[in-house]
Amino acid sequence: MTATLIDGTAIAAKVRAQVATDAAAYFAGTGKKPGLATVLVGDNAGSQSYVKSKRKACAEAGMESFGFELPKTATQEEVESLVARLNADPNVHGILVQLPLPKQVDENKVLLAITPRKDVDAFHPVNVGKLLIGEPDFMPCTPAGIQQLLVRSGNDPDGKHVVVCGRSNIVGKPVAAILVQKAKGANATVTICHTGTKDMAAFTRQADILVVASGRPNTVTADMVKPGVVIIDVGVNRIEDATKKSGFRLVGDVDFDGVKEKAAAITPVPGGVGPMTIAMLLANTAKAAKLAGK
Ligand code: NAP
């Protein structure tokens, strides 16, 4: 068997087209565009490029984006007072504070300062709790994107055994919380593995759907999966590659070449989960505008 590729770029384009339609409907009803405020603190090149692509995606979807930049010496009070201003601004429906923040700024305190109804990253404990009880306003972007990849590629998790490798607060735990719900596009039996799991292969071999978010290349190899498994590879790892001009290439957390002979479907890296993360951020911002009503 050679796996079908789950094309994240194509699926993300469909989500973004739907968001553009929703944004246009919101504009027709209110005379305003859904607005996302981005907060960038410091001059980290990676963060600058992430924020740039998020703002570009907003414009392409007919949404407003407001960019705010603070110096790398910014204090806790300065970041929090900017967040407070954005919380109160009726033209801002979603607030995205790009992480990581400089070390003098407490990230958790900043994320807590964002009002939950504008928390389009869905990291605030109120939104985490709402997700867990099955009543989310917003779902965190990468896990929500994983659910959309599964459903829209014809691999609905309903009734399946999903094994998640990784238990971070931004990927592993929330994706498990989403897929276990008694809800459309979910209703799976979910197992979570991590570094404390003894004999992880015994679990991964039982998976109908495997979501791998360990942050380490080759966490899952061909001998660890059953034939016909559907694999979502969340990992993004740079490895040296002298044949590339940049000197590196991106790989996921799964041994792609090995498992593709056994899997029924798999996401590539890049071009799988990555494009979905931005698409879901746009979807959350459009939803935040709709919930605000004006
Ligand atoms: P993280 O915070 O480093 O968490 C990794 C998790 O994997 C931890 O729970 C860790 O277990 C577990 N783990 C590590 N090695 C393992 C192993 N050999 N077997 C089983 N479990 C193992 O990472 P993250 O933020 O969740 O991100 C995971 C990956 O996804 C990274 O490559 C990241 O770059 C990528 N990512 C991609 C996107 C995207 O948009 N494409 C978004 C977010 C993240 P312990 O808890 O026991 O330490």
Side-chain angles (χ1 to χ4, degrees):
M1 179 185 297
T2 298
T4 305
L5 281 187
I6 299 175
D7 185 344
T9 307
I11 295 173
K14 286 188 184 157
V15 173
R16 287 165 68 153
Q18 180 61 53
V19 172
T21 305
D22 293 347
Y26 181 79
F27 184 75
T30 64
K32 275 167 57 172
K33 294 179 179 180
L36 175 71
T38 58
V39 177
L40 180 62
V41 186
D43 51 11
N44 178 297
S47 295
Q48 283 171 335
S49 132
Y50 285 137
V51 166
K52 197 173 157 198
S53 44
K54 286 166 185 174
R55 296 195 63 197
K56 183 165 168 269
C58 275
E60 285 167 3
M63 298 179 10
E64 205 77 71
S65 77
F66 310 98
F68 294 87
E69 292 182 18
L70 292 173
K72 62 177 178 228
T73 51
T75 63
Q76 185 79 33
E77 292 66 34
E78 283 166 336
V79 181
E80 286 189 27
S81 93
L82 173 57
V83 168
R85 188 148 63 85
L86 299 174
N87 281 342
D89 185 336
N91 294 318
V92 170
H93 301 103
I95 302 171
L96 176 127
V97 176
Q98 187 63 47
L99 302 179
L101 294 173
K103 59 179 181 320
Q104 76 276 11
V105 182
D106 182 330
E107 281 182 4
N108 282 335
K109 279 193 184 160
V110 172
L111 297 180
L112 271 174
I114 299 172
T115 182
R117 63 198 161 77
K118 297 190 180 185
D119 170 37
V120 285
D121 259 340
F123 292 153
H124 192 288
V126 165
N127 286 320
V128 175
K130 286 183 136 189
L131 175 66
L132 201 61
I133 63 169
E135 293 176 14
D137 291 326
F138 310 111
M139 296 200 284
C141 302
T142 300
I146 293 169
Q147 182 186 36
Q148 288 301 312
L149 280 177
L150 288 169
V151 172
R152 289 172 186 255
S153 65
N155 296 294
D156 197 309
D158 193 342
K160 303 278 167 49
H161 183 193
V162 177
V163 177
V164 179
C165 299
R167 59 175 162 189
S168 73
N169 288 334
I170 62 164
V171 188
K173 281 184 209 162
V175 79
I178 291 170
L179 298 181
V180 80
Q181 297 298 329
K182 191 165 187 167
K184 231 172 135 217
N187 206 31
T189 301
V190 181
T191 301
I192 306 179
C193 298
H194 43 76
T195 59
T197 304
K198 291 194 173 71
D199 191 10
M200 189 167 76
F203 295 97
T204 56
R205 279 189 205 114
Q206 294 175 40
D208 303 312
I209 296 172
L210 196 51
V211 178
V212 189
S214 59
R216 289 172 203 192
N218 296 322
T219 300
V220 170
T221 48
D223 57 311
M224 295 170 70
V225 302
K226 72 175 178 188
V229 65
V230 172
I231 301 179
I232 305 292
D233 188 349
V234 190
V236 182
N237 305 290
R238 273 185 181 200
I239 59 164
E240 281 183 27
D241 185 342
T243 69
K244 300 279 177 199
K245 212 168 134 196
S246 58
F248 69 86
R249 68 190 159 94
L250 295 180
V251 298
D253 291 345
V254 173
D255 169 22
F256 182 88
D257 290 333
V259 300
K260 79 175 194 303
E261 300 307 326
K262 281 175 92 176
I266 186 167
T267 54
V269 177
V273 175
M276 293 301 291
T277 299
I278 290 189
M280 300 318 292
L281 173 71
L282 300 180
N284 279 349
T285 305
K287 187 170 181 198
K290 207 170 158 189
L291 291 175
K294 56 187 168 38

